[in-house]
Amino acid sequence: MAIINYVTEIRFGAGCAAELADVNARLGFQRPLIVTDRGVVAAGLIEQLVEQNPLAAYQVFDATPANPTEAATREGVACFRGADCDGIIAVGGGSPIDLAKAIAVSARHPGPLKQFALIEGGLTRITAATVPIVAIPTTAGTGSEVGRGAIIILDDGRKVGILSPHVIPRVAICDPLLTLSLPPHLTAATGMDAVAHCIETFLASGFNPPAEGIALDGLRRAWRHLELAFNEPSNLEARTQMLSASLQGALAFQKGLGCVHSLSHSLGGIDPRLHHGTLNAVLLPAVVAFNRSAESVIRDEKLERLAQAMELPPQLSVEQALAHKAEALRLPTGLAQMGVDKGLIPRIVTGALADHSHRTNPREASAEDYADLIQASF
């Protein structure tokens, strides 16, 4: 049996950030905690939002690390409780939004965060008591504003998924104007993250035709507009299409992901300095090649359908096109360029095998397969 569920309210379009006040009033937020990072604050986006949507009282938590952690979750919960907050507004990329979800769970459920990890049986422990969230993305990549999960590094070093319908933001406010100040290197890295989401969820083993349609359309939008957004940061149409591609990839998440994400989650847990979207871009070509022989991929002509969505010429494979795109965006083309040591391969493999995304790859990957994929990505 497949469970297919789309429940997030999405407000999308240039200028829609001005609707935050209406959303706050409807949700009854009187003292929200704004979860963000220092880069978003420095860019003036929090000040801009508050000017557009006056709040009688609010508290800002801007200590989100590049990869959100269990320790940062505890700090956020202390801030939430200390200010007697009644809701959460997450503003930023995937890290602040994911951290906001972890805070929302921990603020209303006792015990350590690790007990809510999917691989620890946490799905059934997260209840409707979770603090309601409004998510406002300022990047176009993770799509966490419409996702049912958060990726958090635990105190023990594992990078895990906190998954539940209760962590899905009540409202996602997707205003492409907020992405115009995103630097080119982050535009590239987060954009390839969106590409990875669309491709992996399309190839994943679950049954969810609506998700596959959403993913293919998201891939088409991202492939057409990512380089334009990279080269012309103020191009609003390109930013709009990338923001749509990002949320579409995350809407399709419920079908599952695969080896790209099990590997990038493992690597990110080992070295939190590694950017998730960049890792996905580096790992994609090898994993797509590995999945070519999967029964479902062959039967449903999935690589051909990906190539069609990407509008590739017959002589260019999906794997080659992905590598060329990363080069055009001036991203690293191998793990070595990102500073990954080959001596870490056993630890990376162990983490990948334990990751929740491992189970939904269309082709079962062994420890040896993972080691080969890592080697091919150097």
Side-chain angles (χ1 to χ4, degrees):
M1 180 190 74
I3 299 176
I4 300 172
N5 191 13
Y6 291 97
V7 296
T8 311
E9 176 185 325
I10 303 168
R11 299 194 177 199
F12 190 100
C16 72
E19 298 175 16
L20 175 60
D22 292 338
V23 171
N24 286 339
R26 180 161 57 82
L27 294 178
F29 287 3
Q30 298 295 319
R31 296 174 306 281
L33 177 69
I34 299 177
V35 178
T36 187
D37 61 42
R38 294 187 177 98
V40 172
V41 173
L45 296 181
I46 300 303
E47 183 180 5
Q48 176 185 328
L49 281 170
V50 173
E51 286 179 355
Q52 289 179 319
N53 306 274
L55 292 164
Y58 64 94
Q59 180 70 37
V60 175
F61 179 81
D62 65 359
T64 303
N67 284 281
T69 63
E70 187 172 2
T73 302
R74 287 192 293 271
E75 293 176 19
V77 170
C79 188
F80 179 90
R81 291 174 174 166
D84 194 24
C85 295
D86 55 9
I88 295 176
I89 301 171
V91 185
S95 295
I97 298 175
D98 278 10
L99 183 62
K101 293 175 180 179
I103 294 170
V105 171
S106 291
R108 295 284 171 81
H109 298 81
L113 184 63
K114 70 177 182 180
Q115 71 177 326
F116 302 110
L118 183 66
I119 60 174
E120 297 286 345
L123 178 64
T124 59
R125 300 188 183 115
I126 301 173
T127 73
T130 302
V131 179
I133 301 169
V134 174
I136 306 175
T138 61
T139 67
T142 70
S144 186
E145 67 273 9
V146 296
R148 59 178 178 171
I151 304 299
I152 305 291
I153 298 177
L154 299 179
D155 291 338
D156 61 18
R158 288 180 296 164
K159 193 170 187 177
V160 302
I162 311 294
L163 272 68
S164 167
H166 299 300
V167 306
I168 301 173
R170 300 288 181 87
V171 181
I173 297 177
C174 301
D175 187 340
L177 292 175
L178 299 179
T179 70
L180 293 177
S181 60
L182 193 65
H185 72 281
L186 286 178
T187 297
T190 57
M192 286 303 292
D193 195 20
V195 168
H197 295 161
C198 290
I199 289 177
E200 275 226 296
T201 201
F202 178 71
L203 295 178
S205 59
F207 178 82
N208 193 326
E212 293 191 1
I214 292 169
L216 279 180
D217 184 74
L219 176 61
R220 179 183 62 83
R221 293 173 190 273
W223 203 256
R224 285 184 177 182
H225 295 93
L226 177 50
E227 284 187 62
L228 187 58
F230 175 75
N231 291 314
E232 300 179 21
S234 61
N235 189 309
L236 183 58
E237 175 62 16
R239 294 292 193 181
T240 299
Q241 295 296 333
M242 286 307 303
L243 192 57
S244 179
S246 174
L247 75 87
Q248 286 177 255
L251 283 173
F253 271 174
Q254 61 177 277
K255 183 172 179 281
L257 290 165
C259 291
V260 170
H261 279 78
S262 51
L263 284 167
S264 62
H265 290 161
S266 179
L267 275 157
I270 293 169
D271 187 350
R273 296 171 300 176
L274 299 172
H275 187 272
H276 176 71
T278 306
L279 282 172
N280 286 348
V282 168
L283 294 163
L284 259 173
V287 173
V288 169
F290 173 75
N291 285 331
R292 274 191 175 273
S293 61
E295 180 183 350
S296 62
V297 171
I298 296 170
R299 181 190 64 235
D300 297 332
E301 300 180 328
K302 288 196 169 180
L303 268 296
E304 291 82 359
R305 293 164 67 190
L306 285 176
Q308 184 179 31
M310 296 159 73
E311 300 176 313
L312 301 183
Q315 70 273 16
L316 191 64
S317 71
V318 172
E319 301 96 299
Q320 292 170 327
L322 288 166
H324 293 170
K325 184 70 76 175
E327 290 177 3
L329 297 169
R330 298 197 287 277
L331 289 170
T333 56
L335 294 173
Q337 292 181 37
M338 298 184 70
V340 177
D341 188 332
K342 285 190 176 183
L344 294 173
I345 289 178
R347 287 181 61 192
I348 300 168
V349 170
T350 298
L353 287 167
D355 189 77
H356 64 275
S357 297
H358 166 70
R359 296 190 295 270
T360 49
N361 195 70
R363 177 184 170 191
E364 186 175 355
S366 66
E368 184 179 356
D369 291 328
Y370 273 123
D372 290 342
L373 288 170
I374 298 166
Q375 290 280 8
S377 301
F378 263 92

